[in-house]
Amino acid sequence: MKLDTAITIFRYMYCPFIVEMLVLTVMLLYKQRRRRYFAMWLATGIVMLAAASFLLSCAAMYIINIPILGALFYAALFLMILGLLKVCYKVPFRILLFCGVSAYAIQNLSYRIGSIFEVTGVIWRFSAVVGYEAANNIVFLGIFAAMLAPFRLFYVKRINRAGIENIYSRNILTVSVFALGITIVLCGYANAYWFMSAQLSIVNYCFAIIANIFVLVIQSGMAERTALRTDAERVRELWQQDRRQYEMAKENIELINIKCHDLKHKLRALGTGGGASADEIKEMEKCIAIYDSKINTGSKPLDVLLNEKSLLCNSNGIRLDCMADGALLSFMDEFDLYSLFGNMVSNAVEAALKLDDPEKKIITLTVSGSRGMVLINCDNYYSGEIKRSGANFVTDKPDDSEHGFGVKSMRLLVKKYGGTISIDYGEGIFSVRVSLPVKGGE
């Protein structure tokens, strides 16, 4: 009889807990580095975990009415699951703890919702149709299965976007563990005394549900803040790169102009001295003209950028049409200006490089003023499908860690100067529209 009781505890309490916890934690850790012989370690660990949980089930018969000990048994299983994951994955324990807390919150949330159906008699009434065991499995497993899709879609994706390896806040994790500890203790009491008062059990379950949601909300907030911090750091790195690139490009363009000027004089001297034919001189001057063609908008950083990009466009058969009054941008910091237009034009050049039709390899850039506003328009053709993730664009570059940061950088720079930016695309044309108040600098 005692063995039957132990099997019942194992079958309906500890076994589902272990399986559901492993499913949820593996979903959270699926992008993390696995250890060698992962499948072997996992299979061995599951067998050992099942054996340990059955021993706990045998011991649980004698302490079933002692809530705090029942809670400690679940805490022991929780730690054993983290130990198994530590053997299987090459990740720090703090990440395993974060994933374990999240998984426990979801597991307990689904279990307590099912418990409400149980204590209110829904499962018992359903069991008259399909039998108790089938009714119990349908309700509890059905609720858990129904929660997997939103968990994957809204929680796991957010965690992965932030980079689970970057998520860590000692204070928030401490609060989460504390809240979860309270939930475990409450569950111990609920398991011990559920048959004494249905109303009290429902109150207990509802409190546990609220505590689990609280844990998920603060951990999700932690992930969101981490993602924002990571994005901000990456954008600042891009700005630093743009700063260094601007300085280098400025020096290179000036050096090219000086060399082209000297070569022109030498060519004229060569032509006068009869060292080359008139046609040869003309051909050489034409080649030099590509590098000596100056774009003068009235803004030094914009001139540097456009001259730099025009060399790239010329070498790839791309026509860069520019009508820009750069003097209107005098209120902008030169590095901000270079970064804003650099991202804008670079994206257009990347799109043009993918086009097969040479007639569509055109980039149009205009800068004009109207009613105290500076209007910046950049249009280009594109091919293929443009993918988005929320408000951000998804890159097709091999390194997806770079995705969308060029656009994020532009948005932040436009916001810095009190302006607005809109991006439209359709029918093969991609357009960026920026409006900046002339006195918008901070």
Side-chain angles (χ1 to χ4, degrees), residues 2-300:
K2 289 183 178 179
L3 182 60
D4 290 341
T5 304
I7 291 173
T8 301
I9 293 172
F10 173 76
R11 187 173 181 180
Y12 290 103
M13 294 174 64
Y14 292 159
C15 187
F17 174 78
I18 292 170
V19 172
E20 291 172 3
M21 281 290 294
L22 286 174
V23 168
L24 293 165
T25 48
V26 169
M27 285 176 67
L28 284 163
L29 292 166
Y30 82 100
K31 282 191 173 182
Q32 301 305 305
R33 290 180 60 199
R34 298 175 177 180
R35 294 189 187 275
R36 195 177 181 186
Y37 308 121
F38 170 83
M40 183 193 74
W41 287 118
L42 184 61
T44 304
I46 289 174
V47 171
M48 295 176 65
L49 202 55
S53 64
F54 184 75
L55 292 176
L56 288 177
S57 301
C58 293
M61 295 185 299
Y62 302 100
I63 54 91
I64 195 70
N65 293 322
I66 307 175
I68 193 66
L69 291 180
L72 288 176
F73 277 24
Y74 274 105
L77 283 174
F78 177 80
L79 292 175
M80 282 190 277
I81 290 170
L82 293 189
L84 170 58
L85 295 172
K86 184 62 179 173
V87 172
C88 295
Y89 290 93
K90 293 183 178 180
V91 294
F93 183 76
R94 61 181 176 81
I95 293 178
L96 294 177
L97 182 60
F98 179 92
C99 293
V101 169
S102 300
Y104 190 94
I106 287 288
Q107 189 279 333
N108 195 258
L109 177 62
S110 69
Y111 183 73
R112 288 310 159 196
I113 293 173
S115 297
I116 291 177
F117 283 99
E118 183 179 36
V119 80
T120 54
V122 173
I123 292 179
W124 292 103
R125 286 192 290 272
F126 187 34
S127 67
V129 180
V130 297
Y132 176 78
E133 185 172 350
N136 184 78
N137 290 335
I138 290 171
V139 170
F140 279 93
L141 293 179
I143 292 170
F144 178 74
M147 295 186 70
L148 288 180
F151 175 69
R152 171 76 179 86
L153 188 62
F154 298 110
Y155 192 81
V156 176
K157 279 192 173 183
R158 175 174 286 191
I159 298 299
N160 288 329
R161 175 179 170 270
I164 198 169
E165 65 281 356
N166 299 320
I167 299 174
Y168 184 66
S169 171
R170 184 175 298 172
N171 293 337
I172 292 178
L173 201 56
T174 300
V175 171
S176 300
V177 172
F178 179 73
L180 216 55
I182 294 174
T183 303
I184 292 173
V185 172
L186 285 173
C187 291
Y189 276 92
N191 292 337
Y193 302 127
W194 67 272
F195 56 87
M196 295 179 63
S197 172
Q199 292 80 4
L200 183 60
S201 293
I202 291 172
V203 171
N204 188 313
Y205 297 154
C206 289
F207 188 86
I209 288 169
I210 292 170
N212 287 317
I213 293 173
F214 171 73
V215 169
L216 292 171
V217 168
I218 62 174
Q219 289 204 310
S220 180
M222 187 197 308
E224 189 66 25
R225 282 190 293 275
T226 300
L228 292 173
R229 185 175 66 249
T230 302
D231 286 357
E233 290 172 356
R234 183 65 189 121
V235 168
R236 279 195 292 270
E237 288 176 10
L238 290 176
W239 287 347
Q240 289 298 322
Q241 290 177 13
D242 289 341
R243 182 182 291 261
R244 291 190 293 269
Q245 186 176 339
Y246 170 58
E247 296 290 359
M248 291 174 60
K250 186 165 59 173
E251 292 177 6
N252 291 338
I253 293 296
E254 288 175 355
L255 184 60
I256 288 172
N257 288 336
I258 292 170
K259 293 297 182 182
C260 287
H261 182 75
D262 292 343
L263 281 172
K264 278 185 177 181
H265 284 294
K266 289 179 181 179
L267 279 175
R268 290 194 188 101
L270 185 63
T272 304
S277 67
D279 289 340
E280 289 173 332
I281 296 295
K282 190 175 292 184
E283 184 63 28
M284 286 187 278
E285 285 182 338
K286 184 179 177 182
C287 292
I288 292 172
I290 294 175
Y291 297 93
D292 191 37
S293 57
K294 288 185 179 180
I295 297 176
N296 189 355
T297 65
S299 169
K300 179 106 182 202

Side-chain angles (χ1 to χ4, degrees), residues 369-425:
S370 176
R371 299 179 181 179
M373 301 291 290
V374 179
L375 307 178
I376 304 167
N377 300 320
C378 184
D379 302 294
N380 61 272
Y381 290 99
Y382 71 91
S383 62
E385 180 186 0
I386 293 178
K387 299 178 181 178
R388 300 190 69 161
S389 175
N392 301 317
F393 290 86
V394 179
T395 186
D396 56 1
K397 296 176 183 176
D399 184 4
D400 62 3
S401 65
E402 298 293 325
H403 92 165
F405 284 107
V407 174
K408 288 177 185 176
S409 173
M410 287 194 292
R411 290 189 194 280
L412 287 173
L413 287 171
V414 170
K415 183 179 179 181
K416 175 181 177 180
Y417 290 90
T420 60
I421 180 172
S422 65
I423 299 175
D424 301 306
Y425 55 91

